[in-house]
């Protein structure tokens, strides 16, 4: 079945460490997104990519980095520069163009100890 | 700039009674509007979307929403709540530039 796979589902990190969250899709979607979810704040856009080898900052990109070397993959690195990284991270994709529907992964919960 | 306000952070209903989750939006253009549902520790799933066709939109699991331009509202309803409807619901607006703005979410509790 087509879908989006995020890993790991749960991740613990010590302060000062970088961590990378994986996002893989087999939907042949062009556009991919990373959102951060905090209780009572909805979803906030971190980065997005509409084609391979290109990506743009979203509303809260500081302290994060991404790459898009393959159409299927859009990993997110949470760097030590991110002041408050504990959150639920969601990856999504869409075919791109127009008000298309997003398909979401199951999310990764990052906790900084 | 577009924005979304979900008027209730929590809604509690009894099983078998109607559900109403309220959403107001602000947009400079004719927007596209969506409702998504999220069960605990899961991703979001599309319930329904409005894209300037019929103002009453039917979605999955018996949910529907009505687009009211004069009231700038897109409230989500269901005639009879089921225990499995307990989840968090997000109203989303998409503007001319296809940027999506998410509401803060409404947590629906269903009592037996």
């Amino acid at each position: 079945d087509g879908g989006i796979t995020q890993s790991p589902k749960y991740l613990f990190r010590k302060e000062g460490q970088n961590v990378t969250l994986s996002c893989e899709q087999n939907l042949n979607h062009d556009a991919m997104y990373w959102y951060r979810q905090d209780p009572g704040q909805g979803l906030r856009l971190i980065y997005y990519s509409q084609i391979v080898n290109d990506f743009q900052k979203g509303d809260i990109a500081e302290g994060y980095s991404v790459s898009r070397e393959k159409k299927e993959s859009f990993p997110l690195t949470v760097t030590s520069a991110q002041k408050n990284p504990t959150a639920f991270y969601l990856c999504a994709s869409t075919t791109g163009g127009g008000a298309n529907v997003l398909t979401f992964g199951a999310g990764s919960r990052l906790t900084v100890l | 700039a577009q924005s979304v306000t979900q008027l209730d952070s929590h809604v509690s209903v009894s099983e078998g009674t109607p559900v109403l989750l309220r959403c107001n939006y602000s947009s400079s253009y004719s927007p596209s509007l969506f409702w998504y549902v999220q069960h605990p520790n899961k991703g979001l799933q599309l319930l329904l979307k409005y894209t300037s066709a019929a103002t009453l939109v039917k979605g999955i699991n018996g949910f529907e929403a009505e687009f009211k331009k004069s009231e700038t509202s897109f409230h989500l309803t269901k005639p009879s709540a089921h225990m499995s409807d307990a989840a968090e619901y997000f109203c989303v607006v998409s503007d001319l530039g296809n940027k999506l703005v998410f509401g803060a979410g409404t947590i629906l509790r269903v009592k037996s």
Side-chain angles (χ1 to χ4, degrees):
Chain A
D1 288 339
I4 298 180
T5 302
Q6 289 188 240
S7 63
K9 189 168 180 62
Y10 298 95
L11 183 61
F12 297 89
R13 181 193 103 174
K14 293 181 180 178
E15 284 192 17
Q17 288 181 334
N18 292 354
V19 293
T20 297
L21 307 180
S22 170
C23 177
E24 302 278 334
Q25 55 101 355
N26 60 3
L27 300 165
N28 200 33
H29 284 173
D30 292 311
M32 298 186 74
Y33 304 78
W34 274 105
Y35 288 93
R36 172 180 170 139
Q37 184 177 18
D38 296 283
Q41 295 193 44
L43 275 66
R44 294 180 289 168
L45 182 63
I46 305 172
Y47 269 98
Y48 65 101
S49 168
Q50 294 180 310
I51 57 172
V52 175
N53 292 322
D54 187 46
F55 48 83
Q56 287 77 41
K57 293 181 179 180
D59 300 319
I60 56 164
E62 185 175 352
Y64 299 98
S65 66
V66 293
S67 62
R68 187 85 186 277
E69 297 177 0
K70 299 186 300 180
K71 187 175 184 178
E72 304 80 20
S73 179
F74 191 42
L76 173 74
T77 297
V78 184
T79 75
S80 56
Q82 168 51 233
K83 296 282 187 274
N84 183 22
T86 295
F88 192 53
Y89 291 88
L90 287 160
C91 180
S93 69
T94 184
T95 53
N100 283 307
V101 172
L102 292 176
T103 299
F104 283 87
S108 293
R109 185 167 297 280
L110 173 63
T111 302
V112 174
L113 303 174
Chain B
Q2 70 280 15
S3 66
V4 174
T5 302
Q6 292 186 239
L7 297 167
D8 306 292
S9 60
H10 292 79
V11 169
S12 183
V13 301
S14 296
E15 191 174 20
T17 65
V19 176
L20 170 64
L21 305 183
R22 299 182 295 165
C23 173
N24 286 353
Y25 70 92
S26 171
S27 178
S28 303
Y29 304 95
S30 180
S32 294
L33 292 156
F34 308 80
W35 277 99
Y36 283 84
V37 61
Q38 183 183 32
H39 289 91
N41 293 309
K42 301 289 187 185
L44 278 69
Q45 179 187 15
L46 180 73
L47 278 178
L48 49 82
K49 66 176 181 179
Y50 166 78
T51 54
S52 74
T55 56
L56 183 61
V57 182
K58 294 189 183 298
I60 62 171
N61 300 334
F63 284 94
E64 62 182 36
E66 185 171 9
F67 174 71
K68 292 187 176 180
K69 187 175 181 178
S70 60
E71 299 176 11
T72 61
S73 70
F74 190 57
H75 300 336
L76 182 70
T77 61
K78 182 173 180 178
S80 176
H82 190 273
M83 295 297 291
S84 61
D85 295 327
E88 189 163 14
Y89 293 79
F90 293 93
C91 183
V92 184
V93 64
S94 172
D95 72 352
L96 193 65
N98 297 322
K99 180 179 178 180
L100 297 179
V101 176
F102 286 76
T106 298
I107 294 173
L108 175 64
R109 178 186 172 208
V110 181
K111 299 176 289 185
S112 59

